[in-house]
Amino acid sequence: MGTLAQGYIIIFAVTLAGHSIGLTAGVYACLLVLSTTDADEDDWRAPAVQLGLAAAMMLGTKITLAFLVAALLLASAARLLRRSGTSVAIRSLLLASVFPLLAIGPLALHSWLTTQSPAGVVTAKAFHAAFFDAQALSAYEGTRLLFAWNFMG
C-alpha cells in the first residue's frame, strides 16, 4: 500500500499493523461502553479492567486518541452512574483510568521534564516550551499540513 506524492512513493504498510491494533482496541472499547449493563458490587471490575487495557492500547499506538480515550472512560462512567450508582461508577472510572495513565504517564512525564512539553513538539506551542526552536516547530507544522492535504500540497 502506498501513495505517490510529488514523485515519491510513500509506504504506509509499516505503521498499518501498529495502528490497526489501536483501532481494534478502540472498537472493542466502544463495544464495552455500549454494552455496559447493570453492575453490582461484584461484577464491575472485569469490564473496567478490559476498558482500561483497551484504552492503554489505543494510547500506546496513537497519542492523538487521548481525547477519544477520555470520552470513552467518561461515557462508561456515565452509563454506570445511571444504572449502578455513584460508588460503582467512580470505582470503575478510577480502575479503568489506571491502565492508560500507566501506559502514557511515564512517557509524558519524561517529555515534560526534559522539554517542558508533555507530548514533545505536538504540544510545544501550547506549553511555551523553549526546548524546541523555530526550525523544529516549522518542520512539525509542515509535516502536519502535508498529512492534512493528503500529500497533494
Side-chain angles (χ1 to χ4, degrees):
M1 181 183 319
T3 185
L4 186 63
Q6 296 181 356
Y8 296 96
I9 295 178
I10 299 173
I11 306 295
F12 292 104
V14 175
T15 61
L16 189 62
H19 288 171
S20 67
I21 291 169
L23 296 175
T24 302
V27 169
Y28 181 66
C30 289
L31 292 174
L32 281 171
V33 170
L34 292 174
S35 68
T36 302
T37 58
D38 293 344
D40 59 27
E41 291 297 317
D42 296 326
D43 68 356
W44 63 270
R45 288 173 187 86
V49 168
Q50 291 173 7
L51 179 59
L53 289 172
M57 288 174 61
M58 291 170 66
L59 283 180
T61 56
K62 195 131 179 81
I63 189 64
T64 55
L65 294 176
F67 293 109
L68 180 58
V69 164
L72 287 169
L73 293 173
L74 291 173
S76 175
R79 287 179 63 100
L80 281 172
L81 183 64
R82 285 197 315 268
R83 296 170 182 249
S84 303
T86 305
S87 174
V88 171
I90 290 174
R91 287 186 289 167
S92 176
L93 177 62
L94 290 175
L95 179 60
S97 298
V98 165
F99 298 97
L101 288 175
L102 285 175
I104 206 66
L107 297 172
L109 179 63
H110 173 71
S111 178
W112 191 322
L113 292 175
T114 57
T115 68
Q116 296 82 44
S117 175
V121 72
V122 175
T123 55
K125 281 186 180 178
F127 285 87
H128 307 288
F131 182 84
F132 300 97
D133 61 7
Q135 185 178 4
L137 295 173
S138 177
Y140 167 71
E141 185 65 21
T143 303
R144 193 187 67 73
L145 289 173
L146 185 64
F147 276 89
W149 295 333
N150 295 321
F151 300 94
M152 299 299 173

